[in-house]
Amino acid sequence: MLIKIYPENPNEKAIEQVADVLRKGGLIIYPTDTVYGLGCDITNHKAIEAICKIHGIKPEKANFSFICYDLSHISDYIKPIDNTTFRVLKKALPGPFTFIFNASHAVPKMLSSNKKTVGIRVPDNNIAREIVKVLGNPILSTSIHDEDEIIEYSTDPELIYEKYQDLVDMVIDGGYGDNVPSTVVDCTNGEFEVIREGKGELEEYL
């Protein structure tokens, strides 16, 4: 199913429809403030396994992010952080960053058995955040990659739908996506270490 949702003012009924698909263990492709993401409800093990199958990886080896609604949502899934880190997050989020933290016990075991860390995102995109808000828990997420050597990420939702319609339950058309991923920042040691340069400029918030 391809569903159109406008990011400026997401339709409540459409958002509820998406959340319902996730609650039933479905997979969705949805827009963020960077690239389009493939996601599922983090509490649904079968859905997580289905995403891993699409990517050809084992759950415990996967580098997935959790899409959260806001900072209070994040605190459930990470170990306590210091005030300096919190202040930076408050300034930088919502925004195009993935912050890696030490995982709390709330993170599903199948995802943290080896690494004990979790990547957290609060994208500056109303569609993604409203879905999480209505669902009531984060979306497990990974980027949609393209086989094209020049274009690393698919940006056209209709082309994404053509490619993935048999693999996922719903593709959300939220307009053209970006082809620059989030900036990944490792915060597990109390420092801010950029491990992938992306769309976000961390220096602005330090």
Side-chain angles (χ1 to χ4, degrees), residues 156-173:
D156 183 337
E158 291 191 8
L159 293 179
I160 291 170
Y161 176 68
E162 278 175 30
K163 183 176 174 183
Y164 286 95
Q165 60 182 319
D166 296 329
L167 296 172
V168 302
D169 300 273
M170 182 181 275
V171 176
I172 298 166
D173 176 354

Side-chain angles (χ1 to χ4, degrees), residues 143-159:
S143 302
I144 294 289
H145 281 267
D146 202 295
E147 272 75 57
D148 190 300
E149 285 178 14
I150 298 165
I151 306 162
E152 193 179 350
Y153 298 97
S154 306
T155 59
D156 183 337
E158 291 191 8
L159 293 179

Side-chain angles (χ1 to χ4, degrees), residues 28 59 77 80 100 106 123 165:
I28 65 165
Y77 299 95
I100 298 170
Q165 60 182 319

Side-chain angles (χ1 to χ4, degrees), residues 6-32:
Y6 294 94
E8 298 79 25
N9 190 17
N11 180 289
E12 283 179 33
K13 273 190 180 166
I15 295 289
E16 185 57 60
Q17 198 179 345
V18 179
D20 202 44
V21 166
L22 291 168
R23 286 186 197 108
K24 289 173 178 165
L27 307 187
I28 65 165
I29 291 175
Y30 66 98
T32 71

